[in-house]
Amino acid sequence: MRLPSVEREWLNRAQKIEFSFEGRPYEGYAGDSISSALWANGVRVLGRSFKYHRPRGLLSLANHDVNALFQQGGEPNIRGDARPLETGMRLTAVNTFGGGVAHDNGRFLGLLSRFLPVGFYYKAFHTKALFPLWEKVFRLTTGLGKVDFATPRKRTAKSYDFCDVLVVGGGPSGLAAACAAAKAGARVVIVEENARLGGSGVYQLGADAQRAAILEALLQQVEAADNIRVLVDHYAAGYYKDHWLPLVAHAADAPLRKMRAKSVIVASGAFEQPAVFRANDLPGVMLASAAQRLFYRYGIRPLENPLVLTANADGYRAALDMAKSGARVAAVVDLRGTHAANDLEQQVRAQNIPIHVAASVVEAVPGPGGKSVIAARVGAFADGKAAFGDLREIPCDGILMSVGWAGAANLLYQAETRMRYDDAVEQFVPEHLPEGVFACGKVNGVHTLAAKLIDGERAGAAAAVHAGFGAKGEGVEVPAEIESPSHPWPIIEHPQGKNFVDFDEDVQFKDIANAIQEGFDNIELLKRYSTSGMGPSQGKHSNMNVLRILARLTGKTPAEVGTTTARPMYHPVSMAALAGRGFSPERRTPLHGRHAALGAEWLSAGAWQRPAYYRQDGKTAQECIHAEAAAVRGGVGLIDVGTLGKLEIRGKDAAEFLERVYVSRYANLKVGMSRYAVMCDEAGVIIDDGVVARLAEDHFYFTTTTSGAAGVYAELSRLHILWKLEVTLVNHTGAYAAVNLAGQKSRAVLSRLTDLDLSGAAFPYLGVRTGEVAGIPARLLRVGFVGEWGYEIHVPATYGGALWDALMTAGAAEGIRPFGVEAQRLLRLEKGHIIIGQDSDGLTTPLDLNLHWAVKMEKPFFVGQRSLAILEKKPAKQRLVGLVFPTLPNDAREKPQECNLVIEAGEIAGRITSIAYSPTLQRHIALAFVRPARIRPGERVDIRLSSGDTLTAEVFVPPFYDPENLRQKIAD
Amino acid sequence: MHAFVAPVAVSPLVEVAFANGKPGAVVFVDHSLTPRYGCKGKGKGAAQWLQSLGLPLPAAPNRWLPLAEEGLIARLGMQEFLIDGNADVVARLQASPPPADVAAVLRQDAALELSGPGLSELLLQTCAVDFAALDLAEQPVVLTRMTGVGVTVIPGASSYRIWCDGTYGAALWESLYAVAADLPEPPAQSLHSTDRSSEHDA
């Protein structure tokens, strides 16, 4: 029940909040979590268990529980322990089959439990014939929550963040660590997953005002420190190399912070562990810390008449806190025969609370429908065994379990901390921490409040020193625990079962035992076979007990058994937070706006957007492309080639560098001329091509493919460092705009804009000149990729638009027309010119592409030369040839396509690399790889179409168009 | 002999800089058309050449110095330099052919200046560098990536100068602007610099 205001509670009682659960209206306060508000309203059954649909209440109130998952509208699996209550929430339980959480029809599955043994999934799928049946059954019965596929896309920000010292956990040791680091001058960030700082210091009080005062003093220190930043309601979802930690907020729209710290202090505390006894999952059986949180944070008396099952001092404190809340504590049942917390025992006895030592709860007695607890059956407990012969039934309305802890060491494991099992505290603790990672408090095996403060100060000072603040001090002695805070065997092997080890997956003691008996006696295998640790809590309250059972049943120690792998994320992270805002920068040439205005249909080429073609009203894409190609063939066209890589090399070894990089010769290239250039890798595979132009004896300007520019520049930079030649390399790809003015009338158009002598003699084919075009300083190359007289004109990027406009204006009388990539591909195909990456693949050599003429094997060296020398002596496997297809009727059912296979004797003998319908030749033409025996002109090869039909094509030696290459020498 | 009207240079950001007028907490200024010059070389060539022309040289890579009157020189590597914002100096460099071991680098960058109360948050959401940890007295130059685009950044007390390949300029501007638009008040402005005196205050 809700109490009058409790000191330091988290509620704002002035602000009431109305909500509903399973259709019934309730009221809570601002500051309540969903779970606390429901418990305060007397709701004891919050959900149904995953497998047997058993009624479940609160267990941890620490964001671990499968029991407290809710659905609201399209949002599934809301974690009620952590999500703040909001006005108007309409909540339902996530795992019911009709009848609501109170009368869930799925509860009958519990009656079938004997037919659902451990490893049931694996066993069910063992018979192949039944696979479809089981698939349907499992799809119907499993899964939590309902996903709404119409959920709108959210754009969640991601943010980098930085600090000197990151403290994960705002409990007593974390706060002490933060204060120590801040005192040394470090920029400190505390990340705390709860709504307020304090951790266990807020609620593990044992009704002791002095403990509360210690925490209050720490909080004041934190608040006073200018260099401490606090992120509450955030958790560190994982640890990544170099101290990167994603910090995730509970709030749905808050940004995911990618925190980079110089030092990280893990003060994440520990997960309280349940005891294993029959019916330990009834509503009303909960961890003692959950009950303390309900009381101190939310002003709730969790139970009226609880029984405390304990094995440490924390349990005695819980009993005192419950007494302070007004509860009539039925008894304290201590698993141990003796203990060291005598003062606490005396305080408990002073409250007239009976204490039973060397005893255990062996069974919780259920109330009607298994929805409550009415009593606990208690028996003697010694040497890890309970005596069932003489059980005492103690009436109570719930059982608080305080039998031990497991360090919240997930981040430490992810940071590759070497852990060891410490028998003194029955817990895994860090043995060797990675550089810059520190641990303190419970996760470090330090549980006593005074010791935690010392441990925190030690870690904080050390972390600050690592981050470059303060001087390394003397070693600090942290007092050892006077008794173990955890019991090594808080487990009752009840003959009637239902003693749950994993609450997420309804895994009982016998399931673990049976799995081990079936041979799954390795902790990782056991986890997967039994599914323990695979539910929403990810084993936070089950792994330790599973480990203890495995150790005992196999005669090993916990250290020998070891732990499972703790992978990120620490808690489930929403897809919206993970995806966040993405950046995929798109590269645009300086002519992008011109293309858009002309109706460009865009094509992605690497990071670039290029015009595939320009849309024309009433025309199909192919008609537009053919019209653009016709303009080039019949007059003059203009294409943006600014995406080509544009590199420059200068220095006395520039020619030597290019000789080594490309397969052809460049030392003998005359100034003012250019030459085709092919680049290979060490294996002789062709990786790029372009044109090398010589501007001066020691100065070359050369182009690469659009997609190859960045990679080629990176590789050349590497070779530059390796070879130590006297050259300077510059990447001018983005600095120059470039266009190709092509067609028989290109010279006439250009002549209106430049004083350069454009005659064939003064500016021959493959010539390169510098001059002005429309008053813009330019580099001009006479190249013929599309097979017509043409010029590539390169100008500084800021003048790209001016150049384009000048050319379009100057060519208006000739009907100049912009053409896109598709028309260019068609035109070059008619000439048989290859495109690297389309007509080649990751195994293609220049020899396969008939580029023998370009490969100068007589050079002393070039990259790939050795491999090509070897390959040259071997029989060729494939050759690129031209193919001409028979004229197909316009209504042909199917036309040949790129990547259609060449078939020979029923086997794959090659493939089409490029294909198009040539309006000039009025038939389909292609480039294709075929077997070397089939390269003679007139050979007929079979092409398997996508439908499986076969079409015969004829081998042809390109060019398909203008075989004498006369067109690129003819201009008006 | 042809005679042409002087061609107009256009900023790589011309199509995006005016297209965004959303509120935000960051002021964007396009400085792409300020005079700029770059060079790089092998050995000590570039440094010696610039020194011979009377330019101050930052002592180490990733540092910058102001030029006399206006503008700056940034050292991007041992032998790579960027001179920005001083028309006289740039004209002098362009008129002086570099020695054989030095190559002129055509700088056609998109150049931005960002300022405003949301700047820190904008940088945190778009770049992995901890700018707050830099000592501005050391006049640092940061070569990094921002929204996935390679950038050169000079952080200042009240504004940051950013340069990137002009062909990535629009993408960088749009991404930064989209993030800035989602930041809380006060409103942002979209400006093009017309007054060279406002080019930078780094």
Side-chain angles (χ1 to χ4, degrees):
Chain A
M1 69 171 285
R2 188 82 75 179
L3 299 166
S5 180
V6 173
E7 196 177 6
R8 288 184 286 275
E9 69 179 14
W10 292 5
L11 301 179
N12 175 6
R13 301 221 183 202
Q15 189 181 339
K16 289 187 176 176
I17 290 182
E18 292 180 348
F19 70 106
S20 72
F21 174 57
E22 296 279 311
R24 295 189 61 180
Y26 296 104
E27 206 172 66
Y29 293 111
D32 258 326
S33 69
I34 294 170
S35 300
S36 70
L38 286 171
W39 203 260
N41 280 281
V43 179
R44 292 293 174 264
V45 181
L46 305 184
R48 288 279 172 166
S49 73
F50 178 68
K51 197 163 153 190
Y52 302 138
H53 288 246
R54 290 169 65 88
R56 290 280 173 81
L58 281 181
L59 174 65
S60 73
L61 195 70
N63 197 10
H64 310 160
D65 297 3
V66 71
N67 309 347
L69 295 180
F70 302 96
Q71 177 100 20
Q72 181 183 226
E75 187 181 2
N77 301 329
I78 296 170
R79 296 194 150 210
D81 292 356
R83 176 68 69 87
L85 189 68
E86 294 166 23
T87 301
M89 276 183 156
R90 301 281 177 266
L91 302 161
T92 54
V94 295
N95 192 34
T96 57
F97 289 171
V101 75
H103 307 288
D104 177 20
N105 294 331
R107 68 187 186 277
F108 298 110
L109 285 169
L111 302 175
L112 303 173
S113 62
R114 58 184 299 214
F115 302 109
L116 301 170
V118 64
F120 174 70
Y121 294 113
Y122 299 95
K123 288 164 182 163
F125 284 118
H126 195 66
T127 307
K128 196 175 174 183
L130 295 176
F131 195 108
L133 168 70
W134 287 121
E135 185 190 357
K136 276 183 196 166
V137 170
F138 292 141
R139 284 193 189 283
L140 186 70
T141 55
T142 61
L144 297 173
K146 292 183 179 63
V147 174
D148 179 2
F149 291 102
T151 302
R153 184 190 166 116
K154 280 183 183 172
R155 193 173 59 184
T156 312
K158 281 186 185 176
S159 176
Y160 293 95
D161 207 340
F162 308 92
C163 65
D164 298 318
V165 177
L166 175 69
V167 182
V168 181
S173 67
L175 296 175
C179 290
K183 193 176 169 188
R187 290 180 302 167
V188 179
V189 170
I190 304 173
V191 57
E192 166 56 51
E193 71 168 310
N194 290 293
R196 295 192 190 183
L197 292 177
S200 60
V202 172
Y203 55 82
Q204 280 194 317
L205 299 179
D208 182 350
Q210 198 179 346
R211 289 170 73 93
I214 290 170
L215 182 79
E216 195 60 40
L218 268 176
L219 290 172
Q220 284 173 9
Q221 275 188 58
V222 168
E223 195 170 349
D226 291 337
N227 52 345
I228 297 179
R229 189 153 51 100
V230 177
L231 292 173
V232 292
D233 274 331
H234 283 70
Y235 59 92
Y239 176 93
Y240 297 88
K241 288 277 181 203
D242 300 326
H243 311 330
W244 282 101
L245 292 94
L247 305 185
V248 181
H250 291 310
D253 296 328
L256 181 147
R257 291 169 190 267
K258 294 179 275 189
M259 177 63 81
R260 177 74 177 267
K262 291 178 184 166
S263 303
V264 176
I265 300 174
V266 178
S268 46
F271 310 121
E272 186 155 41
Q273 298 295 294
V276 177
F277 53 85
R278 180 168 163 78
N280 60 344
D281 66 332
L282 293 178
V285 180
M286 67 175 79
L287 301 174
S289 53
Q292 290 168 299
R293 280 189 277 271
L294 282 172
F295 174 44
Y296 284 110
R297 286 181 185 171
Y298 305 109
I300 296 169
R301 180 159 63 237
L303 298 163
E304 298 299 321
N305 185 207
L307 178 144
V308 178
L309 172 63
T310 189
N312 55 29
D314 298 319
Y316 286 84
R317 283 194 197 93
L320 292 169
D321 286 330
M322 291 305 101
K324 184 179 178 184
S325 77
R328 290 177 294 105
V329 179
V332 170
V333 177
D334 194 331
L335 292 172
R336 304 165 300 175
T338 59
H339 66 90
N342 295 325
D343 54 335
L344 287 170
E345 182 180 330
Q346 284 169 16
Q347 289 177 51
V348 169
R349 289 193 189 282
Q351 298 273 350
N352 294 321
I353 300 170
I355 298 176
H356 306 276
V357 295
S360 178
V361 173
V362 299
E363 182 180 358
V365 180
K371 295 174 184 172
S372 62
V373 175
I374 56 170
R377 291 198 177 108
V378 175
F381 185 77
D383 299 327
K385 289 194 182 302
F388 289 92
D390 185 20
L391 297 180
R392 177 190 306 201
E393 192 162 299
I394 302 175
C396 61
D397 66 349
I399 299 168
L400 308 185
M401 303 175 285
S402 181
V403 294
W405 305 85
N410 305 48
L411 299 179
L412 292 176
Y413 281 111
Q414 289 159 26
E416 297 182 356
T417 302
R418 191 165 68 232
M419 305 286 282
R420 68 178 172 86
Y421 190 82
D422 186 344
D423 292 328
V425 289
E426 299 289 355
Q427 176 189 332
F428 283 95
V429 296
E431 182 176 34
H432 178 75
L433 288 157
E435 196 180 334
V437 177
F438 304 84
C440 61
K442 284 181 181 170
V443 75
N444 200 30
V446 179
H447 288 252
T448 311
L449 180 58
K452 280 195 286 190
L453 300 181
I454 296 169
D455 199 31
E457 277 185 45
R458 173 199 58 78
V465 169
H466 183 267
F469 299 89
K472 194 171 180 181
E474 303 262 321
V476 176
E477 184 91 10
V478 178
E481 298 295 311
I482 56 170
E483 62 179 4
S484 173
S486 296
H487 195 279
W489 186 253
I491 294 161
I492 305 300
E493 299 174 46
H494 200 287
Q496 290 175 277
K498 295 290 184 286
N499 44 355
F500 290 96
V501 179
D502 187 297
F503 296 89
D504 290 353
E505 304 277 326
D506 283 345
V507 179
Q508 306 169 55
F509 179 91
K510 68 174 184 183
D511 294 325
I512 301 294
N514 288 340
I516 295 168
Q517 198 172 28
E518 289 178 39
F520 296 93
D521 55 1
N522 166 288
I523 190 70
E524 293 283 5
L525 291 176
L526 178 60
K527 169 184 171 177
R528 282 153 184 79
Y529 189 64
S530 68
T531 69
S532 65
M534 292 172 67
S537 83
Q538 288 288 288
K540 291 184 177 75
H541 53 228
S542 64
N543 281 351
M544 204 61 214
N545 280 335
V546 170
L547 187 155
R548 292 189 197 285
I549 295 168
L550 177 58
R552 179 160 295 207
L553 296 188
T554 55
K556 294 178 180 173
T557 64
E560 288 168 332
V561 168
T563 56
T564 53
T565 306
R567 298 184 181 86
M569 304 296 183
Y570 180 67
H571 288 313
V573 179
S574 73
M575 298 301 284
L578 282 178
R581 188 197 294 273
F583 298 113
S584 302
E586 174 190 277
R587 221 170 169 183
R588 299 177 194 169
T589 76
L591 302 172
H592 190 88
R594 263 71 174 178
H595 303 318
L598 288 164
E601 192 65 39
W602 298 103
L603 174 88
S604 291
W608 297 93
Q609 288 293 299
R610 302 192 69 186
Y613 62 91
Y614 299 90
R615 290 185 298 276
Q616 296 282 314
D617 287 343
K619 290 189 176 175
T620 65
Q622 191 172 48
E623 286 169 344
C624 293
I625 293 163
H626 287 172
E628 290 171 14
V632 178
R633 290 277 182 252
V636 60
L638 186 63
I639 183 171
D640 180 359
V641 293
T643 58
L644 291 173
K646 296 177 275 293
L647 307 182
E648 208 157 332
I649 187 166
R650 192 172 185 210
K652 74 178 181 61
D653 294 331
E656 170 64 16
F657 189 90
L658 295 174
E659 287 274 320
R660 296 188 191 186
V661 164
Y662 288 110
V663 301
S664 301
R665 301 217 62 150
Y666 299 95
N668 63 359
L669 181 63
K670 291 178 182 170
V671 172
M673 295 301 291
S674 65
R675 186 169 288 162
Y676 181 60
V678 170
M679 187 181 289
C680 289
D681 65 11
E682 296 287 359
V685 170
I686 193 163
I687 55 172
D688 204 71
D689 71 349
V691 171
V692 171
R694 193 165 202 165
L695 303 177
E697 282 299 324
D698 64 348
H699 191 183
F700 293 82
Y701 180 66
F702 55 110
T703 60
T704 75
T705 57
T706 290
S707 55
V712 167
Y713 180 67
E715 174 62 3
L716 298 194
S717 299
R718 187 185 72 85
L719 294 173
H720 182 202
I721 293 166
L722 197 68
W723 293 339
K724 298 183 171 60
L725 294 176
E726 290 294 319
V727 294
T728 301
L729 264 172
V730 180
N731 185 354
H732 272 146
T733 299
Y736 278 103
V739 297
N740 187 1
L741 181 71
Q744 199 172 338
K745 294 176 179 173
S746 59
R747 183 168 66 177
V749 173
L750 184 61
S751 66
R752 294 177 195 131
L753 300 172
T754 184
D755 294 326
L756 287 169
D757 182 350
L758 300 180
S759 67
F763 193 173
Y765 183 61
L766 296 182
V768 56
R769 299 289 181 271
T770 56
E772 285 194 350
V773 176
I776 304 165
R779 288 172 175 170
L780 298 93
L781 293 88
R782 258 209 66 196
V783 291
F785 188 51
V786 297
E788 302 289 342
W789 188 291
Y791 304 90
E792 242 179 57
I793 308 170
H794 298 222
V795 299
T798 49
Y799 292 111
L803 175 72
W804 178 274
D805 295 343
L807 289 167
M808 290 296 287
T809 303
E814 279 78 12
I816 191 171
R817 181 164 187 164
F819 64 105
V821 174
E822 293 293 353
Q824 186 194 41
R825 286 181 178 173
L826 167 61
L827 294 166
R828 69 86 204 180
L829 178 59
E830 289 180 340
K831 288 299 294 179
H833 292 158
I834 58 165
I835 295 176
I836 302 300
Q838 172 150 345
D839 299 307
S840 69
D841 57 30
L843 295 172
T844 309
T845 69
L847 312 179
D848 299 329
L849 298 176
N850 309 309
L851 293 172
H852 302 73
W853 58 270
V855 182
K856 304 301 178 190
M857 295 300 288
E858 68 276 15
K859 288 201 294 184
F861 170 78
F862 64 84
V863 176
Q865 184 187 41
R866 185 173 170 275
S867 298
L868 288 175
I870 294 167
L871 291 169
E872 211 174 25
K873 291 173 189 162
K874 291 187 172 180
K877 290 182 180 170
Q878 59 178 4
R879 284 282 186 269
L880 194 73
V881 297
L883 293 181
V884 175
F885 286 82
T887 304
L888 300 173
N890 285 338
D891 60 348
R893 191 169 63 88
E894 189 182 11
K895 290 169 183 168
Q897 292 178 317
E898 202 176 292
C899 284
N900 280 166
L901 298 175
V902 177
I903 302 294
E904 199 172 311
E907 291 186 0
I908 297 171
R911 67 181 169 87
I912 292 173
T913 60
S914 296
I915 190 165
Y917 177 78
S918 165
T920 311
L921 303 169
Q922 299 199 332
R923 58 178 60 192
H924 279 82
I925 56 173
L927 294 176
F929 280 117
V930 299
R931 287 183 175 156
R934 296 286 180 187
I935 62 172
R936 286 184 303 276
E939 284 271 5
R940 296 172 74 78
V941 294
D942 290 337
I943 307 297
R944 181 178 290 165
L945 303 178
S946 302
S947 65
D949 292 350
T950 299
L951 190 63
T952 302
E954 194 172 293
V955 172
F956 189 90
V957 178
F960 301 97
Y961 167 79
D962 183 27
E964 304 299 322
N965 292 330
L966 298 175
R967 297 282 300 177
Q968 51 211 47
K969 297 169 187 167
I970 298 170
D972 291 346
Chain B
M1 192 73 174
H2 293 89
F4 297 97
V5 176
V8 177
V10 175
S11 162
L13 303 174
V14 69
E15 283 155 18
V16 292
F18 284 116
N20 300 280
K22 294 179 209 168
V26 182
V27 178
F28 287 65
V29 182
D30 175 12
H31 288 297
S32 301
L33 293 181
T34 56
R36 195 169 299 120
Y37 185 85
C39 65
K40 64 189 286 194
K42 181 90 177 168
K44 296 179 178 176
Q48 286 175 348
W49 179 58
L50 292 173
Q51 245 171 343
S52 73
L53 293 171
L55 270 71
L57 287 188
N62 301 331
R63 296 281 183 273
W64 69 276
L65 287 175
L67 294 173
E69 296 182 2
E70 62 178 351
L72 59 87
I73 177 169
R75 191 164 194 162
L76 308 180
M78 283 304 291
Q79 289 298 321
E80 185 167 4
F81 296 89
L82 164 67
I83 293 93
D84 186 282
N86 188 314
D88 294 340
V89 171
V90 169
R92 187 147 48 93
L93 289 165
Q94 285 171 337
S96 313
D101 56 352
V102 178
V105 179
L106 181 63
R107 302 293 312 214
Q108 298 279 292
D109 307 59
L112 318 179
E113 181 181 11
L114 304 179
S115 60
L119 179 56
S120 294
E121 184 57 32
L122 175 66
L123 294 170
L124 287 172
Q125 288 196 26
T126 56
C127 184
V129 171
D130 184 7
F131 288 104
L134 296 176
D135 181 358
L136 296 186
E138 290 184 354
Q139 296 175 305
V141 176
V142 180
L143 277 69
T144 182
R145 298 182 82 78
M146 193 173 280
T147 70
V149 175
V151 292
T152 300
V153 183
I154 293 188
S158 59
S159 68
Y160 277 46
R161 294 293 309 273
I162 300 170
W163 293 263
C164 75
D165 185 314
T167 57
Y168 277 115
L172 177 67
W173 177 285
E174 286 174 345
S175 297
L176 291 175
Y177 215 102
V179 175
D182 284 347
L183 297 176
E185 295 288 310
Q189 301 165 42
S190 177
L191 301 173
H192 270 275
S193 67
T194 51
D195 175 7
R196 210 171 282 159
S197 66
S198 69
E199 279 168 15
H200 70 91
D201 60 359

